[in-house]
Amino acid sequence: MKKLFLLIGLMIGLVSFGQSGDADAIVNALKSGDATRLTEHLDDFVDVKLLDKPEVKNMSRNQAAITLKGFFTETGINGFEKTSQRDATGISYLTGKLQNSNKGYNITLMMKMKNGKWQIITVRVS
């Protein structure tokens, strides 16, 4: 019986570690200003809202990757400061400030758990 509880505890710990690893990888991609690494965590379809442009819903992963890479390049994003992260069952919200040489931009990411990994489903930049 003790072995069963130990095994269950170990499995829960490993799953939790893997989930936080994905979120940490997303934060690290933002901190380094690396849109390519960030786009590795996009879901198949993403809602994207950038600055004063209209929101685009259900954008394909490839189109969202091109859009985000263009935004990071055009605005000179070179860092990120996390302000909040909230987790609910299968959903996580990450907010912070993207940094560049001029002014920063607020960003909110909504992520969902899919196949044991956090996948970005919404990106909002204001």
Side-chain angles (χ1 to χ4, degrees), residues 91-123:
I91 298 288
S92 180
Y93 295 92
L94 174 68
T95 60
K97 190 155 189 111
L98 293 172
Q99 301 167 340
N100 64 6
S101 59
N102 296 328
K103 65 175 187 168
Y105 302 97
N106 295 318
I107 184 169
T108 301
L109 300 176
M110 184 168 60
M111 303 171 285
K112 72 176 180 177
M113 184 58 66
K114 183 176 178 184
N115 298 324
K117 295 176 68 176
W118 286 114
Q119 297 287 303
I120 299 169
I121 58 173
T122 304
V123 178

Side-chain angles (χ1 to χ4, degrees), residues 8-63:
I8 291 171
L10 181 61
M11 289 173 53
I12 290 171
L14 289 174
V15 169
S16 297
F17 178 75
Q19 292 173 356
S20 69
D22 295 331
D24 291 342
I26 292 169
V27 169
N28 288 334
L30 289 167
K31 283 185 177 182
S32 66
D34 190 342
T36 301
R37 283 185 22 216
L38 178 66
T39 60
E40 293 171 2
H41 301 279
L42 295 176
D43 193 29
D44 296 332
F45 294 96
V46 183
D47 296 342
V48 178
K49 170 77 170 95
L50 299 177
L51 301 177
D52 295 329
K53 298 178 183 175
E55 180 176 16
V56 179
K57 294 198 176 272
N58 295 319
M59 186 181 283
S60 73
R61 174 187 297 159
N62 291 336
Q63 187 61 42

